[in-house]
Amino acid sequence: MITNIKKHIAKCSLCCSAAAALALAACADWNDHYDADTSLLDTQHATLWQNILQNENLSQFASLLKKAGYDEVLNATQTYTVWAPVNGTFDYETLASLSSDRLVKEFVENHIARNNYPASGAVDQRVYTLNEKLMLFSGAGSYVIQGIGIDKANVATGNGTIHTLKGKIPFVQNIYESLNNYEYPIDSISAYIHSYDVRKLNEQKSVQGPTLNGEITYLDSIFDEHNDLFLRYFAYINREDSNYSMIVPTNEAWNRAKATISKYFHYVPSFEFMENTSTTERKKVDVKIRDVKYLQDSIVNQMLTAGLFFNNNMYDNRQLDAPDAATNFHCDSLYSTLTVKLYSEDASRLLENTRRIAKSNGWVWLTDDSLRMRTWTVWNPELRIEAENRAVIASAVNVANENEPQRIYVTPGTQNPEVTGHLSSNAYLDVQPISQSTNPGVVFYFPEIRSTTYSIYVVTVPANITNPRNATKPYRFSATMGFADASGKNQDGDRSWVAESAFVSDSAQVDTIYLGDFTFPISYYGTGDYYPYLRINSAVTSRERANYDRNLRIDCLILRPKELDDYLKLHPDYKYDKGIY
């Protein structure tokens, strides 16, 4: 599941005999393609490189080609078009001081394209150069490429065409290319993104040359480069035909965010997990983590980068592309590429004190010393556990219907209008007792738990949710937690955190009941199918049957990070994305 990033023309290794052979290669009659200057036809007997080397006005360009290793490339049989800036029209000294890799990517390959592109008649073409930049080549009589005028057109050579230019073609980075440490202090995120780069020779597409010292050489080497993160985040920031925004944290912002995120992902080398949480069978599993630090670092880095990418073509994100977005940004919501929704307040906050920088495929939003992402939007979100989801039900006891709770669907059209509130995901779990004299119970797993404090709620559903004639009575139930403590030892039946010894629902509404605040000492995120669990038991005595319903109808369980719960109490109208499992 790795996606192509780009195809790159690498430095070729050629022997002198191959260069001599190609100089004699036959070429098509140039007059069949365009009206060439007949005084230039002698140039056809030499290669692109030989013609450039012999042109005194291109000595600076030739020097840079030589440094980049493209003297050999342009001496090969592959056909190219070269747009060559003449001496004194570009920043030669600056370019000469660049590393070979940058010189190739940002200058040399920016001026070369595969195949012949003659300047003849009316031209209006989009040309991909070797660095996969899309250039506009246009004109009629006089010609330009990306706005740079052509000084002399159509120098025909044995392996392509040369157009001399009145200046260099500007190199515009895409978002991926801008993730470096050349201009801004962003080498932390750059190192992380590039750690997933993979480069491999594509032997089928490369042109094989002579074998030297037992080694196969290539006259034209094609490399495929991949990066797993692009597919993982659905953010193809390397593609020139894309349009993305990326929030790019500075090193200071990166380090601050990492320190914050790390506290949510505390791991221990081993912990106990209760595989079966029923009252009749209890099997304990010892879970080992091979490298605690590696696991934490991997997850923290993934969390930090996961919410930074936005597709500007999405309707909600169109304001990111607005001309005045950098100074006057406003929107109802933004959707990240991982479909995390940031409503207006969080979206505006994320872009505070950022600098918007144009790229060839969108925008980089460079932060100051802080990444203004609220902890609960991506790193430590609210977990909304759908009770009817079979995957989260660990076990049930004293339950009718062959010892399995029932999933009941309720659409807005079938809900009793006398019942206030609504169900998430339009369904709930009906836990019916096996007999009128027993109290049923159900145990729920909690996936993706972080090492943090959650305010825990259970949402109950009244018996008349669809049928007004159903008699309704409140439920009375208890709650206990099973989890691994800080030493990794499993603790079962903990009720020290609950706000009440028994809870009573409101039978007139879909009722959200606060159970209490619970702090998980360790994180379970990324450890596999191992979870803490919550046991809910009906707690109705035989004397109380007339007052309470022994059934338990549960819509969902909410694990809300304590910091979010506190914020909601102060800002009840605050809108945020709710994670559902």
Side-chain angles (χ1 to χ4, degrees):
M1 292 174 46
I2 299 176
T3 186
N4 282 341
I5 289 181
K6 62 182 179 179
K7 294 177 183 173
H8 180 266
I9 310 300
K11 178 180 178 180
C12 299
S13 176
L14 297 176
C15 63
C16 294
S17 59
L22 63 91
L24 300 176
C27 62
D29 185 355
W30 287 94
N31 292 316
D32 289 342
H33 298 285
Y34 55 87
D35 296 327
D37 185 342
T38 55
S39 66
L40 300 178
L41 291 181
D42 287 343
T43 62
Q44 294 182 59
H45 301 297
T47 66
L48 286 162
W49 169 244
Q50 291 166 344
N51 275 283
I52 292 169
L53 192 60
Q54 292 168 12
N55 189 330
E56 293 181 354
N57 291 326
L58 298 179
S59 60
Q60 291 179 333
F61 185 60
S63 173
L64 296 176
L65 290 176
K66 180 77 172 177
K67 177 180 177 180
Y70 269 69
D71 53 335
E72 296 177 347
V73 173
L74 298 181
N75 237 4
T77 55
Q78 175 71 48
T79 300
Y80 297 106
T81 297
V82 179
W83 288 267
V86 298
N87 293 347
T89 64
F90 61 98
D91 50 343
Y92 169 73
E93 295 296 336
T94 299
L95 291 169
S97 67
L98 295 180
S99 66
S100 293
D101 287 345
R102 286 190 64 190
L103 180 63
V104 168
K105 180 71 176 179
E106 298 179 15
F107 178 73
V108 173
E109 290 188 344
N110 212 47
H111 290 79
I112 305 174
R114 289 181 180 279
N115 304 318
N116 275 315
Y117 290 97
S120 178
V123 175
D124 185 13
Q125 289 182 290
R126 294 193 177 274
V127 177
Y128 276 102
T129 50
L130 294 187
N131 57 3
E132 295 205 344
K133 296 297 179 181
L134 189 60
M135 307 293 186
L136 178 59
F137 182 33
S138 61
S142 62
Y143 303 91
V144 298
I145 182 166
Q146 288 297 102
I148 305 301
I150 289 180
D151 182 52
K152 181 176 289 186
N154 303 328
V155 178
T157 79
N159 61 336
T161 306
I162 299 171
H163 306 297
T164 61
L165 292 181
K166 300 174 183 178
K168 75 171 184 179
I169 303 172
F171 173 75
V172 182
Q173 297 172 326
N174 60 38
I175 296 173
Y176 171 73
E177 292 165 340
S178 68
L179 296 177
N180 55 57
N181 58 358
Y182 304 150
E183 297 179 77
Y184 310 109
I186 58 172
D187 44 301
S188 293
I189 189 169
S190 173
Y192 177 68
I193 297 291
H194 287 300
S195 70
Y196 284 84
D197 290 345
V198 177
R199 189 169 186 261
K200 184 179 180 181
L201 178 70
N202 188 324
E203 295 183 5
Q204 290 183 333
K205 293 184 178 180
S206 298
V207 178
Q208 195 173 117
T211 300
L212 300 176
N213 299 322
E215 296 284 336
I216 297 175
T217 63
Y218 291 90
L219 303 179
D220 189 9
S221 302
I222 306 297
F223 286 86
D224 292 337
E225 295 191 3
H226 318 288
N227 190 299
D228 270 345
L229 291 182
F230 299 154
L231 183 58
R232 182 181 300 173
Y233 296 148
F234 302 103
Y236 305 104
I237 58 173
N238 58 300
R239 295 179 180 173
E240 292 294 334
D241 58 354
S242 299
N243 187 12
Y244 288 95
S245 281
M246 180 180 177
I247 312 300
V248 177
T250 60
N251 294 334
E252 179 68 20
W254 175 273
N255 291 331
R256 286 187 177 186
K258 282 195 71 169
T260 298
I261 300 170
S262 294
K263 67 183 181 181
Y264 300 123
F265 299 96
H266 171 70
Y267 298 94
V268 292
S270 64
F271 64 91
E272 297 174 343
F273 167 70
M274 199 64 74
E275 188 176 68
N276 189 320
T277 55
S278 72
T279 56
T280 57
E281 182 183 356
R282 308 187 58 73
K283 184 177 179 181
K284 194 176 291 182
V285 177
D286 290 323
V287 182
K288 306 288 186 183
I289 298 177
R290 181 178 301 175
D291 190 333
V292 168
K293 187 178 187 307
Y294 177 80
L295 176 62
Q296 184 191 47
D297 285 348
S298 298
I299 289 175
V300 168
N301 287 336
Q302 288 176 24
M303 285 289 166
L304 206 165
T305 50
L308 302 181
F309 304 94
F310 299 86
N311 187 334
N312 296 334
N313 293 326
M314 287 189 65
Y315 179 81
D316 289 69
N317 300 342
R318 66 195 187 284
Q319 286 299 320
L320 291 167
D321 235 359
D324 64 342
T327 56
N328 187 31
F329 178 80
H330 59 86
C331 71
D332 293 328
S333 59
L334 292 178
Y335 263 107
S336 79
T337 56
L338 292 182
T339 68
V340 173
K341 188 172 187 177
L342 300 178
Y343 289 92
S344 178
E345 180 180 331
D346 288 335
S348 296
R349 189 175 189 272
L350 181 63
L351 299 180
E352 282 180 9
N353 295 340
T354 58
R355 175 184 172 188
R356 189 173 79 156
I357 305 167
K359 298 298 171 183
S360 63
N361 60 348
W363 307 93
V364 158
W365 298 74
L366 183 68
T367 73
D368 56 8
D369 59 1
S370 180
L371 178 59
R372 290 169 172 79
M373 182 176 289
R374 285 199 164 105
T375 58
W376 55 78
T377 55
V378 176
W379 310 332
N380 182 35
E382 176 178 298
L383 305 176
R384 188 165 291 237
I385 313 297
E386 292 298 323
E388 71 278 359
N389 181 358
R390 303 292 186 197
V392 301
I393 301 173
S395 62
V397 294
N398 297 329
V399 175
N401 300 311
E402 298 181 353
N403 293 325
E404 186 172 310
Q406 299 298 297
R407 179 189 298 148
I408 309 297
Y409 290 97
V410 180
T411 66
T414 60
Q415 180 170 328
N416 177 6
E418 296 177 5
V419 176
T420 60
H422 66 277
L423 278 64
S424 63
S425 298
N426 298 323
Y428 68 91
L429 187 71
D430 190 0
V431 185
Q432 300 177 14
I434 198 168
S435 71
Q436 290 301 311
S437 60
T438 58
N439 284 319
V442 62
V443 180
F444 298 98
Y445 284 138
F446 286 163
E448 300 198 2
I449 289 294
R450 278 73 161 165
S451 49
T452 191
T453 301
Y454 293 92
S455 297
I456 301 177
Y457 297 82
V458 61
V459 180
T460 61
V461 181
N464 65 342
I465 185 67
T466 56
N467 189 346
R469 293 191 296 272
N470 285 350
T472 60
K473 292 185 287 187
Y475 313 125
R476 188 174 187 274
F477 60 92
S478 62
T480 60
M481 189 74 72
F483 66 102
D485 62 21
S487 66
K489 184 174 178 58
N490 190 75
Q491 303 295 327
D492 183 57
D494 189 318
R495 63 176 70 242
S496 62
W497 58 280
V498 295
E500 304 287 346
S501 58
F503 302 91
V504 176
S505 69
D506 185 341
S507 61
Q509 63 176 339
V510 177
D511 193 16
T512 301
I513 303 169
Y514 169 69
L515 302 183
D517 291 348
F518 187 87
T519 301
F520 291 95
I522 68 170
S523 172
Y524 290 78
Y525 189 97
T527 63
D529 296 329
Y530 308 109
Y531 315 107
Y533 47 89
L534 179 74
R535 180 179 285 108
I536 294 180
N537 278 97
S538 178
V540 180
T541 67
S542 57
R543 296 179 182 179
E544 296 172 324
R545 284 175 53 190
N547 300 322
Y548 299 105
D549 190 343
R550 274 193 162 127
N551 280 35
L552 292 172
R553 298 174 182 87
I554 304 173
D555 174 25
C556 64
L557 303 153
I558 300 171
L559 286 84
R560 182 173 296 151
K562 178 64 174 172
E563 55 261 43
L564 171 58
D565 198 63
D566 290 343
Y567 189 80
L568 285 171
K569 290 172 183 174
L570 297 174
H571 307 87
D573 295 329
Y574 171 71
K575 295 176 68 176
Y576 65 100
D577 199 17
K578 303 173 178 66
I580 296 177
Y581 299 92

